[in-house]
Amino acid sequence: MARTSSRFLGLLVVAAAAAYGCSDGSAIVAPEEQDPSHGLISGLLDPVIATVTGLLTDVDVLTRNTPLAQDISVTAAIGKNGGTIEIPEAGIKVIFPKNALTPPKANQTYDITVTALKGDEVAYIFQPHGLTFREPVIIMQDYKDTPAYKNPSMLSAMEGAYFPALSALDLVAATARVSEFRPTNVDVTGGKVRFTINHFSGYLIASGRSR
């Protein structure tokens, strides 16, 4: 019994440390968990352990009127001068300001991949996992092809949120368990929502908190 309790306590410490790293933008541990449904690494923080420690919040996920038939990934080389990545089919644009990434050499770049997850949830995986930024990276999402468009109650509840693992997403119920919320700006007339991030892995647009 003593051995089991020690192992469980250790898992709780790991989960708490991972969540703390996500909340303040500091370096986070590289993920280990693999989810075969998408073929993507999902993240270190286990939703079961996080639930025990009260680290996760249940949210409704904004859905697309036209679901994506498959994952859509776009990769671009981003360096010191910044750049953008867009997935028009998913309505997302990711803007890397100058000096958001500061490579060891001036002409060095990082291969950044943004993946829009298949289905109707507005959710994304960003790679490399655990990458942090010196300047906030901007995410802009077009929501005109969602139920939130011209829906004041949904628009007022929308916010960007970080999910720690693919297993935290319920693709049937369109809900998720998230561990971080981001300050969010909603353009009511232009049909776009905007928020910034300080680190990678998975982000979604929440349309309301369940608790």
Side-chain angles (χ1 to χ4, degrees), residues 5 28 151 162 168 196:
S5 299
I28 59 176
N151 184 326
Y162 170 83
T196 60

Side-chain angles (χ1 to χ4, degrees), residues 88-164:
E89 303 93 326
I92 190 173
K93 182 177 184 179
V94 185
I95 304 170
F96 297 84
K98 185 176 181 179
N99 294 321
L101 292 169
T102 305
K105 298 180 180 179
N107 60 347
Q108 184 178 349
T109 61
Y110 294 93
D111 287 334
I112 306 295
T113 300
V114 179
T115 299
L117 299 181
K118 65 184 178 182
D120 62 358
E121 293 186 340
V122 182
Y124 301 89
I125 293 291
F126 299 83
Q127 296 170 296
H129 292 266
L131 187 65
T132 59
F133 309 110
R134 294 178 182 271
E135 298 291 337
V137 169
I138 302 166
I139 295 178
M140 296 184 65
Q141 174 69 46
D142 190 313
Y143 65 81
K144 289 191 288 293
D145 188 37
T146 76
Y149 189 53
K150 296 184 178 180
N151 184 326
S153 62
M154 290 188 70
L155 293 177
S156 64
M158 282 203 309
E159 53 191 332
Y162 170 83
F163 62 92

Side-chain angles (χ1 to χ4, degrees), residues 20 42-43 113 162 181 191 195 208:
Y20 178 79
S42 58
T113 300
Y162 170 83
F181 292 96
F195 62 95

